[in-house]
Amino acid sequence: MNGKIKILIVEDEMIIGANLSLQLSELGYEVTGIVPRGEQALQHIATNPPDILLLDINLKGSLDGIETAEKMQQTQNIPIIYLTANTDDAHFNRAKKTHPHGFISKPYKKLDLQRTIELTLTQIALKNEEDDVLQNVESLILSDSIFVRHNNSMVKVDINDILYIEAERNYCRIYSKNKEYLLVTTLKDMDEKLPRKHFLRVHRSYIVSISKISELANGHIVVGKKAIPISKSLKDELLNRLQTI
């Protein structure tokens, strides 16, 4: 985040809202507004989204604070800190579903406000670091699954669903039961990372799931109705592996 951290206060008790604004300004934050209703908060967020939403749970009007958060999260992902004088289980369980970064109980202390915001900013920074790392990762290979990049997110693919993997120059295409995934990595790299008990490289352009082989011929195998060539140098290893499954 560049510059001052922007915080929107959504509070229908204007004396509390004004006091919050003063204290946040003293702590070095920029208050983008003080609004008393959830509907107004949503309008404000649409045109001037803050970095943090300081949101009273018990708002008057057609939307309470939790409903306001739910509507906001349909289009944006702004960290929420709830203000509340009511900490009963029903409110807490509703609020928890919106994954807030914190709760501040009224009457609040300035130190509570300061620490909750600092913890929220730490969580945001850690998440941003994780996102930056994942942006540079095309696949994460675990013992029972692979996380592959698909449409700007990491998608889990179960090992048991993978049929075969085909090389396309410096790319690999994973063929599973239901989908295909294109990865920016070489087949050699995939071969080194995949669990050996499940997969075998049978050709310079193919890795197959051994348990998914349905036919074995002189020069090829069949996996998921796909005829895949076998290199002569790898045929004996394939036969040995088939005898052990």
Side-chain angles (χ1 to χ4, degrees):
M1 296 179 182
N2 297 319
K4 285 189 175 183
I5 302 301
K6 298 189 295 184
I7 300 176
L8 174 63
I9 300 169
V10 188
E11 169 61 67
D12 56 13
E13 296 183 46
M14 296 311 292
I15 293 176
I16 294 177
N19 191 46
L20 281 167
S21 179
L22 177 62
Q23 293 185 354
L24 290 171
S25 297
E26 290 174 351
L27 290 169
Y29 302 115
E30 177 185 342
V31 176
T32 63
I34 308 171
V35 296
R37 297 287 184 269
E39 301 89 336
Q40 292 172 289
L42 294 173
Q43 292 172 1
H44 183 103
I45 290 168
T47 57
N48 186 18
D51 298 311
I52 295 174
L53 189 60
L54 202 57
L55 180 59
D56 184 17
I57 285 181
N58 300 301
L59 292 176
K60 299 180 179 67
S62 61
L63 298 174
D64 67 13
I66 300 169
E67 291 167 333
T68 301
E70 290 170 342
K71 284 189 174 294
M72 179 273 290
Q73 289 175 340
Q74 291 174 9
T75 57
Q76 303 205 50
N77 185 25
I78 297 170
I80 298 164
I81 298 172
Y82 281 120
L83 298 164
T84 179
N86 189 343
T87 55
D88 63 66
D89 288 344
H91 280 85
F92 177 76
N93 288 331
R94 282 183 61 217
K96 190 167 62 173
K97 293 178 181 178
T98 63
H99 307 291
H101 282 66
F103 290 84
I104 298 175
S105 296
K106 298 177 184 178
Y108 69 91
K109 297 178 181 177
K110 185 177 181 180
L111 185 60
D112 293 335
L113 178 68
Q114 179 181 358
R115 286 177 174 172
T116 303
I117 292 174
E118 287 178 357
L119 285 171
T120 298
L121 292 172
T122 299
Q123 292 175 51
I124 294 170
L126 288 172
K127 184 179 185 304
N128 288 341
E129 286 180 9
E130 291 172 358
D131 289 345
D132 287 344
V133 170
L134 288 177
Q135 285 298 321
N136 296 318
V137 173
E138 283 297 320
S139 64
L140 296 171
I141 299 177
L142 308 179
S143 60
D144 62 348
S145 59
I146 299 176
F147 282 85
V148 299
R149 181 165 298 288
H150 185 66
N151 294 335
N152 296 318
S153 63
M154 300 299 283
V155 178
K156 182 178 180 179
V157 181
D158 288 340
I159 290 287
N160 290 331
D161 288 341
I162 296 174
L163 301 174
Y164 62 93
I165 303 169
E166 183 178 5
E168 295 184 11
R169 296 184 181 178
N170 291 325
Y171 297 82
C172 282
R173 191 176 297 275
I174 295 178
Y175 292 84
S176 71
K177 290 180 179 178
N178 303 311
K179 285 188 177 182
E180 300 175 16
Y181 302 93
L182 186 65
L183 304 185
V184 185
T185 188
T186 64
L187 197 70
K188 180 178 182 293
D189 190 47
M190 290 294 291
D191 187 35
E192 291 172 351
K193 293 179 180 178
L194 285 168
R196 301 293 297 173
K197 66 179 181 179
H198 294 290
F199 296 94
L200 179 66
R201 187 168 184 173
V202 297
H203 185 270
R204 65 182 182 182
S205 298
Y206 291 95
I207 295 171
V208 301
S209 173
I210 299 169
S211 64
K212 300 298 190 299
I213 297 173
S214 57
E215 295 181 31
L216 175 62
N218 284 333
H220 72 273
I221 55 176
V222 176
V223 180
K225 299 182 180 180
K226 167 78 171 179
I228 295 174
I230 313 172
S231 297
K232 290 181 180 180
S233 60
L234 296 170
K235 189 172 183 179
D236 287 344
E237 184 178 354
L238 174 61
L239 291 173
N240 289 333
R241 295 286 295 277
L242 286 171
Q243 291 172 1
T244 62
I245 62 172

